């Protein structure tokens, strides 16, 4: 997996993928349960990053079942990731792609890891990533949602409708040239945990290995109580088709 320096840098574009999506899929605010789910999603993503970059970290009890599901997915599907948490910016919009690599005979897989159920926004999110990363290779791209659950089960859903690219492109044109204005800082809206980093004026990582600080904190979280875990996650956040039921653990 490619490595990069764990330092912020400025985005070229004003709009993030998740902010554009929020214009048609608005995120509710002020819901404690949602806030907890967002923090849990962030913690799970951080653990999967450690897992996929070769760091053995015991997951916190509060996220263990999701992490077990991801391990079972990896064991069954044997993905070979070449990019992890890869930042893209095509001048119109920016985002962070969870994984890029190969899987089950497909050489160009763009994947997003989800801790919730499939949503209509997922196909457009993945279309956005594909257009930003491989605009001339769309016929070769396999867009994949990896859905892991609290029950320890997992599911792979592929998105292959090329109309998604048209819908996304039209949405980008409407948002960036319409009456939506210029996005402000990420503090004025809740960003989905599965897009952690999306919407920030400066990304915290770009296609990197898990930093030693992240590995150390996650290791500490594995033995911390839930209150301490939530405190750590809040601190981190402020500082930084076809269905294929591929199997269940």
């Amino acid at each position: 997996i490619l490595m990069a320096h764990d330092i912020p840098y400025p985005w070229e574009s004003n709009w993030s993928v998740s902010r554009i999506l929020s214009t048609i899929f608005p995120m509710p605010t002020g819901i404690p349960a949602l806030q907890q789910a967002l923090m849990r999603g962030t913690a799970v993503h951080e653990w999967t990053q450690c897992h996929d970059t070769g760091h053995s970290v015991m997951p916190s009890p509060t996220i263990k079942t999701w992490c077990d599901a991801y391990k079972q997915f990896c064991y069954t599907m044997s993905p070979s990731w070449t990019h992890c948490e890869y930042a893209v910016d095509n001048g119109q919009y920016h985002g962070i792609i969870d994984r890029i690599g190969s899987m089950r005979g497909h050489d160009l897989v763009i994947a997003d890891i989800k801790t919730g159920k499939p949503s209509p926004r997922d196909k457009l999110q993945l279309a956005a990533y594909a257009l930003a990363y491989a605009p001339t290779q769309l016929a070769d791209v396999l867009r994949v949602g990896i859905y892991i659950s609290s029950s320890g089960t997992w599911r792979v859903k592929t998105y292959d409708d090329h109309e998604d690219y048209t819908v996304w492109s039209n949405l980008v044109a409407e948002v960036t040239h319409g009456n939506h204005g210029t996005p402000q800082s990420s503090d004025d809206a809740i960003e989905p945990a599965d897009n952690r980093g999306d919407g920030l004026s400066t990304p915290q990582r770009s296609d990197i290995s898990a930093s030693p600080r992240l590995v150390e904190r996650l290791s500490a979280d594995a033995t911390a109580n839930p209150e301490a875990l939530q405190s750590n996650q809040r601190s981190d956040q402020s500082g930084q088709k076809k269905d294929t039921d591929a199997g269940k653990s």
Side-chain angles (χ1 to χ4, degrees):
I1 297 179
L2 295 179
M3 309 295 179
H5 296 295
D6 191 10
I7 57 175
Y9 66 93
W11 294 114
E12 177 184 348
S13 58
N14 290 323
W15 287 89
S16 73
V17 170
S18 57
R19 281 196 180 280
I20 293 175
L21 287 173
S22 71
T23 63
I24 57 174
F25 300 107
M27 289 289 292
T29 61
I31 303 176
L34 176 60
Q35 290 281 12
Q36 293 177 358
L38 293 175
M39 289 190 294
R40 182 178 60 239
T42 298
V44 171
H45 272 82
E46 289 177 340
W47 183 90
T48 62
Q49 183 188 353
C50 288
H51 177 274
D52 288 342
T53 53
H55 297 278
S56 179
V57 177
M58 182 181 298
S60 161
T62 59
I63 62 171
K64 184 178 185 301
T65 52
W66 285 272
C67 297
D68 287 344
Y70 185 72
K71 286 193 291 186
Q72 285 298 318
F73 156 78
C74 291
Y75 178 80
T76 304
M77 301 298 289
S78 300
S80 178
W81 304 128
T82 56
H83 299 70
C84 177
E85 302 296 320
Y86 187 74
V88 290
D89 190 334
N90 65 0
Q92 290 184 302
Y93 60 85
H94 58 265
I96 299 178
I97 305 174
D98 283 356
R99 302 292 186 272
I100 303 172
S102 61
M103 184 173 68
R104 291 292 180 93
H106 295 278
D107 294 329
L108 184 50
V109 175
I110 293 179
D112 199 71
I113 302 168
K114 299 292 188 183
T115 54
K117 297 179 180 179
S119 162
R121 63 176 282 150
D122 298 346
K123 62 182 181 180
L124 296 183
Q125 181 184 356
L126 285 162
Y129 292 159
L131 280 166
Y133 178 74
T136 63
Q137 297 175 271
L138 297 181
D140 300 322
V141 172
L142 179 67
R143 292 175 288 143
V144 172
I146 304 168
Y147 299 90
I148 54 179
S149 75
S150 60
S151 64
T153 61
W154 59 273
R155 173 188 182 190
V156 168
K157 183 177 176 68
T158 61
Y159 298 95
D160 59 2
D161 188 349
H162 278 244
E163 182 64 20
D164 296 339
Y165 299 120
T166 301
V167 173
W168 171 257
S169 297
N170 290 340
L171 179 60
V172 171
E174 177 184 345
V175 168
T176 58
H177 300 294
N179 299 318
H180 294 276
T182 300
Q184 301 175 14
S185 70
S186 61
D187 294 334
D188 60 7
I190 297 177
E191 295 290 347
D194 289 340
N195 295 322
R196 67 269 137 255
D198 251 347
L200 297 174
S201 59
T202 55
Q204 298 304 304
R205 58 176 78 92
S206 169
D207 191 25
I208 63 171
S209 170
S211 68
R213 186 166 65 92
L214 174 60
V215 174
E216 180 180 357
R217 181 176 58 73
L218 291 182
S219 297
D221 286 346
T223 57
N225 58 46
E227 290 76 14
L229 175 61
Q230 290 186 2
S231 176
N232 280 342
Q233 291 167 352
R234 292 191 190 99
S235 175
D236 277 3
Q237 287 185 334
S238 64
Q240 304 222 342
K241 151 182 196 187
K242 292 180 182 177
D243 287 353
T244 303
D245 285 324
K248 295 183 178 180
S249 61

